[in-house]
């Protein structure tokens, strides 16, 4: 690929495959193919005459979750239902226009879909190219969506959408490039999902259940029964008041918040230093974080927890195994304290279990970073390879 001179950037992309020199042309989406709404308006959605047969029926939620090519679905049509609708061909580009506006995927199977989804069919364009172009414009389409009880994108507005497009061969080259990139992202996502499922399985099997006093799966050399207590008899809470901090420009120590993005920034001062055997619990979110260095907390909703005679990684794993399901904006620590918990008192066994799950978490984190990097690379290519 080669970078293009700034003087012609408006007519051609910044990054382009060699061998292509023609200017891109502005076209309306309706000039590039046929756009039609799905033909299913049936209510209620559980009508036994229409649903429950062999024909795939794609809903907006299926489109939102789908990779580049959709092959999985949550509903089916009967023979009678499909007669009232239409079975669309493989290769049809789907664009949602209600609820989650501007989600896209391409049919990898023949399927029907409702009037909240637009089907784009074309023999003169590469649909992967068009899909990625619409993805770039998704924020614009969301702004155009009419606001009522829920967002709704008018088909006429979608037809009038302007796109800058090259000749078909260049479209196909770009489409193929992004298909390979999407396939790589999907592969990494599957690996990540598999690792997370494996971890769930290990958490179930490596702690006792169903009244048993030992786990189903155990490291060799350990035979003692595990103990059962309530968390309130085990956990120690450390006051967070002295360690509350805002974010400073050149801070040295992590400031931890609740949720999936625990490190909100850095701050200076006197942090919590005895970090090795503590776990931080988000009282409202039930998020867990194992600090790796001295830290501050962003809110007193972050509980600093430890337990006597519990190795640090093992405590974190035990909290993961027994933490309650989120129940809205509640103080979940109150629920957690009354939770029954099984644990081994053997410090060597604790260390083996804690180390095992830490290695698993490190592997998951590595795959997550790779996946995030690929997604960021895709965003960069989308910006540079389209006009």
């Amino acid at each position: 690929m080669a970078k293009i001179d700034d003087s012609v950037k408006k007519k051609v992309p910044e990054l382009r495959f060699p061998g292509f020199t023609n200017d891109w042309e502005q076209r309306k989406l309706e000039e590039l193919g046929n756009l039609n709404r799905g033909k299913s308006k049936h209510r209620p959605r559980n009508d036994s005459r229409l649903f429950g047969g062999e024909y795939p029926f794609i809903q907006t939620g299926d489109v939102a979750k789908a990779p580049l090519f959709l092959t999985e679905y949550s509903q089916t049509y009967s023979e009678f239902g499909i007669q009232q609708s239409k079975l669309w061909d493989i290769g049809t580009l789907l664009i949602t226009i209600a609820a989650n506006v501007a989600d896209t995927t391409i049919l990898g199977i023949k399927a029907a879909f409702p009037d909240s989804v637009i089907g784009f069919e074309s023999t003169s364009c590469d649909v992967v190219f068009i899909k990625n172009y619409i993805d770039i414009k998704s924020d614009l389409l969301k702004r155009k969506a009419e606001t009522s009880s829920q967002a709704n994108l008018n088909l006429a507005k979608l037809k009038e959408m302007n796109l800058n497009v090259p000749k078909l061969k260049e479209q196909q080259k770009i489409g193929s490039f992004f298909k390979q990139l999407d396939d790589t992202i999907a592969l990494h996502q599957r690996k990540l999902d598999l690792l997370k499922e494996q971890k769930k399985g290990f958490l179930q099997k490596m702690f006792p259940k169903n009244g048993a006093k030992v786990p189903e799966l155990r490291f060799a050399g350990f035979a003692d029964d595990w103990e059962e207590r309530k968390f309130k008899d085990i956990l120690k809470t450390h006051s967070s008041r002295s360690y509350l901090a805002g974010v400073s420009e050149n801070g040295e120590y992590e400031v931890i918040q609740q949720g999936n993005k625990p490190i909100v920034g850095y701050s200076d001062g006197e942090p919590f230093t005895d970090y090795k055997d503590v776990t931080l619990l988000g009282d409202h979110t039930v998020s867990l974080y194992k600090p790796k260095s001295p830290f501050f907390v962003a809110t007193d909703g972050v509980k600093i927890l430890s337990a006597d005679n519990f190795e640090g990684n093992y405590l974190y794993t035990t909290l993961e195994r027994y933490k309650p399901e989120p129940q809205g904006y509640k103080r979940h620590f109150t629920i957690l304290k009354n939770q029954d918990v099984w644990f081994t008192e053997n410090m060597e066994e604790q260390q083996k279990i804690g180390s095992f799950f830490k290695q698993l978490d490190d592997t998951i984190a590595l795959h997550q970073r790779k996946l995030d990097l690929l997604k960021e690379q895709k965003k960069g290519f989308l910006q540079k390879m389209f006009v």
Side-chain angles (χ1 to χ4, degrees), residues 97-99 101-102 138-148 150-154 157:
I97 60 168
V101 172
S138 63
D139 287 343
L140 174 63
L141 293 174
K142 285 179 171 68
R143 288 196 296 271
K144 285 187 175 182
E146 298 168 1
T147 55
S148 54
Q150 66 175 13
N152 195 297
L153 181 63
N154 188 289
K157 291 179 182 176

Side-chain angles (χ1 to χ4, degrees), residues 97-374:
I97 60 168
N100 298 322
V101 172
D103 286 328
T104 62
T105 187
I106 300 168
L107 282 181
I109 53 173
K110 289 191 172 185
F113 47 84
D115 58 341
S116 56
V117 178
I118 298 295
F120 174 83
E121 300 169 297
S122 179
T123 56
S124 62
C125 287
D126 183 88
V127 289
V128 178
F129 174 88
I130 299 297
K131 178 201 182 303
N132 279 286
Y133 211 134
I134 292 174
D135 289 345
I136 295 172
K137 300 277 190 178
S138 63
D139 287 343
L140 174 63
L141 293 174
K142 285 179 171 68
R143 288 196 296 271
K144 285 187 175 182
E146 298 168 1
T147 55
S148 54
S149 58
Q150 66 175 13
N152 195 297
L153 181 63
N154 188 289
L155 175 57
K157 291 179 182 176
L158 188 60
K159 287 183 175 181
E160 290 293 309
M161 175 184 174
N162 287 317
L163 295 86
N164 294 298
V165 295
K167 302 297 184 184
L168 179 59
K169 283 188 178 180
E170 189 171 4
Q171 287 183 37
Q172 290 169 334
K173 193 86 171 174
I174 295 169
S176 176
F177 173 81
F178 279 100
K179 180 184 181 303
Q180 289 178 346
L181 193 52
D182 280 337
D183 287 345
T184 304
I185 289 171
L187 177 63
H188 278 76
Q189 185 68 63
R190 285 194 296 273
K191 287 180 178 178
L192 181 62
D193 292 342
L194 179 60
L195 280 168
K196 289 179 177 180
E197 284 302 311
Q198 287 175 334
K199 180 182 176 181
K200 285 182 183 178
F202 283 128
L203 282 171
Q204 290 297 317
K205 292 178 183 292
M206 294 178 70
F207 284 80
K209 57 182 179 180
N210 300 327
K213 293 187 177 182
V214 295
E216 180 182 342
L217 195 61
R218 199 173 192 183
F219 287 102
F222 301 102
D224 293 339
D225 288 349
W226 284 34
E227 297 292 321
E228 184 183 22
R229 298 280 191 280
K230 288 191 181 295
F231 262 131
K232 64 183 177 182
D233 299 325
I234 299 169
L235 291 174
K236 295 173 64 177
T237 58
H238 304 261
S239 174
S240 59
R241 190 169 300 171
S242 301
Y243 306 104
L244 289 169
V247 176
S248 62
E249 283 189 18
N250 301 303
E252 181 179 354
Y253 303 106
E254 292 179 352
V255 181
I256 309 303
Q257 64 179 350
Q258 302 189 55
N260 295 327
K261 296 182 178 179
I263 303 173
V264 67
Y266 297 84
S267 188
D268 286 321
E270 297 294 328
F272 188 99
T273 56
D274 192 15
Y275 63 89
K276 290 185 178 179
D277 289 328
V278 303
T279 293
L280 308 185
L281 169 74
D283 201 1
H284 299 299
T285 61
V286 206
S287 58
L288 295 173
Y289 181 70
K290 181 74 177 64
K292 303 175 184 64
S293 60
F295 63 89
F296 291 101
V297 295
T299 166
D300 61 4
V302 177
K303 298 292 184 182
I304 305 172
L305 306 177
S306 66
D308 289 337
N309 302 315
F310 267 69
E311 190 271 336
N313 289 319
Y314 181 70
L315 174 62
Y316 178 88
T317 300
T318 304
L319 285 163
E320 272 204 302
R321 171 63 179 83
Y322 292 108
K323 70 179 183 179
E325 290 293 322
Q327 299 179 30
Y329 199 73
K330 282 190 174 183
R331 292 282 187 175
H332 291 87
F333 183 60
T334 303
I335 303 170
L336 176 73
K337 286 193 298 185
N338 293 303
Q339 173 71 45
D340 292 323
V341 51
W342 285 92
F343 63 95
T344 176
E345 293 182 304
N346 187 305
M347 189 60 68
E348 186 182 354
E349 188 174 16
Q350 286 190 18
Q351 288 170 342
K352 282 185 176 292
I353 294 169
S355 177
F356 173 81
F357 279 99
K358 183 182 184 304
Q359 288 177 355
L360 192 52
D361 282 339
D362 288 345
T363 304
I364 289 171
L366 177 62
H367 280 271
Q368 185 68 63
R369 287 194 295 272
K370 286 181 179 179
L371 181 62
D372 293 342
L373 179 60
L374 281 167

Side-chain angles (χ1 to χ4, degrees), residues 50-57 73 75-79 87 110:
L50 302 169
F51 299 100
E54 61 179 283
Y55 299 99
F57 176 67
Y73 46 91
Q75 183 61 283
T76 57
Y77 257 160
S78 65
E79 187 70 42
L87 199 61
K110 289 191 172 185

